[in-house]
Amino acid sequence: PNPATVVVGTPQQFIAIAYDEFNVPIPNATFFWSTNMGVINFAGILTARTTPGSGFVTATYEGITGSAVVNVVPGALHHILLSPSTASVQVGQTRQFTATGYDIYNNVLTGLTFTWATNIGTVDATGLFTARTTPGTGVVTAQSGTVTGTANVQVTSGPVDHITVSPDPTSVVVG
């Protein structure tokens, strides 16, 4: 195909046909294949590189070349990473989390939407986490489709607000 869109790391068959000056196909032409978008074998099967980009596949026969444009695109969502991956947040305070999706080769995927959840406070649709009012440990998650990413969260006590002393009042016998 020309142009060809190929997912990172996957194969794509290319076919070349050589023609004479009268546009008649030359039977049994054997081509030399080359590419800057992965690895291509003697049969014209490209295995796309593992990073996205655009380039060419070229077939050469008797010093004449023909090329096809190749666009290598990211693969399917493989994993989600949250930032920060661990956080310590004081009770009642907030912390912004971000989620990034990656394919199997760690290429960043764009245009994903995430569903956020937590078991130690609340988190809104943008990843803004609000800690509950009691200390503890838990997680914040971001999910897209069937893939979930997780961050560990420690909710800690806040600063001293006041002190109580008991018993109050009390009476003590001398000595």
Side-chain angles (χ1 to χ4, degrees):
N2 187 15
T5 299
V6 185
V7 174
V8 291
T10 64
Q12 172 68 53
Q13 174 72 62
F14 285 85
I15 298 172
I17 302 172
Y19 296 91
D20 69 13
E21 64 181 310
F22 300 105
N23 207 30
V24 175
I26 298 172
N28 303 318
T30 301
F31 297 95
F32 172 75
W33 293 93
S34 60
T35 186
N36 62 348
M37 297 310 297
V39 176
I40 194 162
N41 69 13
F42 69 94
I45 299 174
L46 168 76
T47 300
R49 67 186 194 181
T50 57
T51 56
S54 294
F56 299 93
V57 163
T58 301
T60 303
Y61 177 68
E62 293 185 354
I64 305 297
T65 62
S67 294
V69 173
V70 178
N71 297 305
V72 176
V73 297
L77 177 62
H78 180 263
H79 59 281
I80 298 169
L81 296 180
L82 271 60
S83 180
S85 60
T86 60
S88 179
V89 183
Q90 287 184 353
V91 292
Q93 297 299 305
T94 61
R95 179 72 185 258
Q96 183 67 54
F97 286 86
T98 59
T100 305
Y102 298 87
D103 71 9
I104 195 166
Y105 298 107
N106 289 322
N107 296 305
V108 174
L109 302 175
T110 59
L112 297 175
T113 57
F114 299 100
T115 302
W116 292 87
T118 185
N119 63 350
I120 193 146
T122 61
V123 63
D124 71 12
T126 68
L128 182 63
F129 169 76
T130 303
R132 67 183 186 190
T133 57
T134 56
T137 59
V139 295
V140 169
T141 62
Q143 183 173 351
S144 184
T146 59
V147 180
T148 301
T150 303
N152 295 314
V153 179
Q154 175 75 41
V155 175
T156 61
S157 299
V160 175
D161 179 66
H162 61 279
I163 298 174
T164 61
V165 178
S166 63
D168 179 32
T170 188
S171 296
V172 180
V173 177
V174 173

